[in-house]
């Protein structure tokens, strides 16, 4: 039992170091190449220093995107080095099953899974806003301002000419319809302020009520409370790309949209990509294990790395393509997001089953 624990610790340590090393190298290369690309966009108000700040603030996003490929390459390097030293053969001869070794490698990959979740939930929403602030020369607060925004809450349609995350509205128009979509009333307001959840205070309002007899009634008021489910945090979210929102923010926003209107597929796609990212990472690690124990066990390390890189990039581009294709051809993006993941799990499991 003690010997098995020592072996498990050795396999875990070797693969963790390889994965972390691959992640660090790929991250540095991504930052370098992105910065070189940004240098072509330099202007009088966007200097080389601004470009460097922009790239460094965007580094967590680059890290998050390359984690699955880094895990694949790291697993190939870690297991490949042990295979080259005949350590895997000794383990198998000592009675350690192939699936147990794969389990130890998967345990190493869980470190990157935790890092992936932490980046998407806590880091990327903040750093991406900072990066956009630098490139657009606008404050983070200004990035949360909305100009010209339509939303729907049941039979109510709302147009807001200006809104910000502090709960300030300007030039608001609210149109109410009955169940047959016949207009009931039209409300115009110069400005408004958020009071509490579900309640807004509108100022300088002019409301036109369409009566059942076909006449119209005009009511002018200095102030008027209006029940709107719209909240400042959701106004702020519409200014942010769905890919830049944390999974919890996406879930909250989609619940709101589902209750009062229709959820755009772009938000569904971003959410399911976040959900599928850990599974994609584990699927690629499983493929790496199947390579070392299967068809590539007799090949050189360089050849293994080239194949791993091609497989990782192919997986990344196919999943990206299917994700955007799902916006048109699938009722839910989840189907196309998880299709390549399930396929990779199937191929990896089959190759390992043949090698056991």
């Amino acid at each position: 039992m003690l010997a098995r624990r020592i072996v498990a610790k050795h396999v875990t340590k070797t693969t963790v170091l390889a994965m972390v090393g691959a992640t660090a190298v790929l991250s540095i290369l991504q930052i370098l190449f992105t910065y070189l690309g940004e240098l072509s966009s330099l202007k009088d108000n966007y200097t080389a220093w601004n470009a460097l700040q922009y790239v460094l603030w965007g580094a967590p996003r680059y890290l998050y995107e390359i984690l699955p490929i880094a895990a694949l390459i790291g697993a190939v390097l870690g297991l490949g080095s042990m295979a080259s030293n005949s350590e895997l053969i000794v383990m198998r001869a000592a009675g350690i099953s192939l699936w147990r070794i794969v389990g130890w490698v998967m345990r190493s990959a869980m470190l990157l899974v935790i890092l992936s979740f932490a980046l998407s939930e806590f880091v990327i929403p903040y750093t991406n806003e900072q990066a956009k602030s630098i490139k657009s020369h606008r404050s983070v607060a200004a990035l949360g301002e909305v100009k010209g925004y339509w939303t729907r809450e049941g039979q109510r349609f709302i147009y807001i000419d200006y809104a910000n995350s502090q709960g300030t509205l300007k030039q608001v128009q609210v149109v109410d319809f009955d169940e047959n979509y016949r207009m009931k009333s039209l409300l115009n307001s110069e400005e408004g302020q958020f009071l509490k959840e579900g309640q807004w205070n509108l100022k300088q309002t002019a409301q036109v009520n369409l009566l059942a007899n076909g006449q119209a009634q005009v009511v002018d008021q200095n102030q008027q409370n209006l029940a709107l489910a719209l909240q400042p945090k959701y106004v702020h979210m519409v200014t942010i790309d769905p890919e830049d929102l944390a999974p919890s923010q996406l879930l909250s926003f989609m619940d709101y949209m589902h209750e009062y209107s229709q959820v755009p597929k772009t938000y569904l796609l971003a959410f399911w990509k976040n959900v599928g990212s850990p599974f994609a990472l584990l699927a690629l690690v499983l493929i790496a294990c199947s390579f070392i124990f299967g068809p590539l066990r007799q090949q050189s390390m360089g050849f293994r790395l080239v194949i791993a890189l091609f497989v990782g990039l192919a997986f990344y581009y196919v999943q990206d393509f299917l994700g955007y294709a799902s916006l048109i051809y699938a009722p839910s993006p989840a189907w196309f997001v998880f299709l390549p993941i399930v396929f990779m799990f199937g191929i990896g499991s089959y190759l390992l089953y043949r090698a056991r």
Side-chain angles (χ1 to χ4, degrees):
M1 183 64 69
L2 179 60
R4 182 161 294 182
R5 289 180 180 176
I6 294 174
V7 173
K9 185 177 180 180
H10 172 67
V11 173
T12 302
K13 180 181 179 181
T14 301
T15 50
V16 162
L17 290 176
M19 290 179 187
V20 171
T23 301
V25 171
L26 290 177
S27 298
I28 292 172
L29 291 175
Q30 180 70 33
I31 291 172
L32 177 61
F33 290 136
T34 304
Y35 179 64
L36 292 176
E38 282 297 313
L39 292 178
S40 63
S41 303
L42 298 184
K43 300 177 182 177
D44 292 338
N45 59 349
Y46 186 64
T47 64
W49 170 243
N50 296 138
L52 179 60
Q53 288 179 300
Y54 170 76
V55 172
L56 291 179
W57 277 116
R61 163 60 67 181
Y62 312 145
L63 174 60
Y64 175 77
E65 292 176 347
I66 66 173
L67 276 178
I69 299 178
L72 169 66
I73 294 176
V76 168
L77 286 173
L79 284 176
S81 64
M82 289 189 286
S84 299
N85 296 329
S86 302
E87 295 176 54
L88 296 181
I89 295 176
V90 173
M91 293 178 197
R92 297 294 302 279
I96 300 176
S97 70
L98 180 149
W99 294 108
R100 187 176 293 273
I101 298 173
V102 172
W104 293 335
V105 179
M106 287 293 186
R107 187 167 63 184
S108 303
M110 288 305 297
L111 176 65
L112 298 189
V113 169
I114 295 172
L115 176 60
S116 174
F117 172 78
L119 287 172
S120 64
E121 180 65 30
F122 304 110
V123 180
I124 291 176
Y126 173 75
T127 57
N128 275 11
E129 280 197 341
Q130 297 296 325
K132 289 181 178 179
S133 174
I134 290 172
K135 194 160 189 177
S136 62
H137 299 284
R138 300 171 63 194
S139 66
V140 174
L143 290 176
E145 296 176 348
V146 178
K147 296 181 180 179
Y149 171 61
W150 279 98
T151 185
R152 173 188 172 187
E153 297 180 1
Q155 303 297 103
R156 171 171 288 172
F157 292 81
I158 306 139
Y159 172 76
I160 301 170
D161 188 65
Y162 171 86
N164 60 33
S165 57
Q166 284 73 45
T168 299
L169 306 179
K170 292 183 180 179
Q171 299 298 326
V172 183
Q173 188 174 81
V174 181
V175 186
D176 283 309
F177 293 86
D178 61 17
E179 60 277 2
N180 296 318
Y181 287 97
R182 294 188 179 94
M183 185 184 295
K184 294 169 54 180
S185 66
L186 171 65
L187 172 67
N188 287 288
S189 172
E190 293 294 325
E191 58 181 317
Q193 188 66 41
F194 180 70
L195 295 177
K196 59 182 181 179
E197 185 172 349
Q199 290 293 324
W200 291 80
N201 178 255
L202 302 181
K203 299 179 181 180
Q204 303 298 320
T205 64
Q207 182 169 341
V208 179
N209 298 316
L210 301 181
L211 305 179
N213 58 11
Q215 295 182 344
Q217 179 186 40
V218 180
V219 181
D220 295 328
Q221 298 185 60
N222 291 329
Q223 292 191 33
Q224 177 179 344
N225 287 343
L226 186 68
L228 290 177
L230 183 68
Q231 297 182 37
K233 64 178 180 180
Y234 296 133
V235 171
H236 176 57
M237 285 181 186
V238 301
T239 67
I240 304 174
D241 292 334
E243 293 82 3
D244 295 338
L245 291 172
S248 59
Q249 291 176 316
L250 282 168
L251 195 59
S252 173
F253 188 57
M254 288 192 301
D255 284 342
Y256 163 76
M257 294 290 289
H258 179 71
E259 184 174 357
Y260 296 102
S261 58
Q262 186 175 9
V263 181
K265 280 191 175 182
T266 51
Y267 288 90
L268 288 170
L269 176 60
F271 174 75
W272 285 115
K273 278 188 172 182
N274 279 321
V275 172
S277 182
F279 297 100
L281 191 152
L282 295 176
L284 290 178
V285 171
L286 187 68
I287 284 290
C289 295
S290 69
F291 284 170
I292 300 302
F293 289 106
L296 301 183
R297 60 180 178 270
Q298 302 296 333
Q299 302 296 329
S300 66
M301 182 65 75
F303 185 78
R304 291 170 183 161
L305 284 177
V306 170
I307 296 299
L309 186 60
F310 273 112
V311 169
L313 290 176
F315 174 82
Y316 175 81
Y317 288 120
V318 167
Q319 189 183 44
D320 202 44
F321 170 77
L322 290 178
Y324 287 109
S326 68
L327 299 177
I328 302 174
Y329 299 110
S332 171
W335 292 98
F336 281 14
V337 168
F338 281 93
L339 182 62
I341 296 175
V342 172
F343 178 76
M344 297 298 276
F345 266 118
I347 293 295
S349 299
Y350 173 74
L351 292 176
L352 287 172
Y353 177 80
R354 288 190 57 185
R356 66 186 176 87

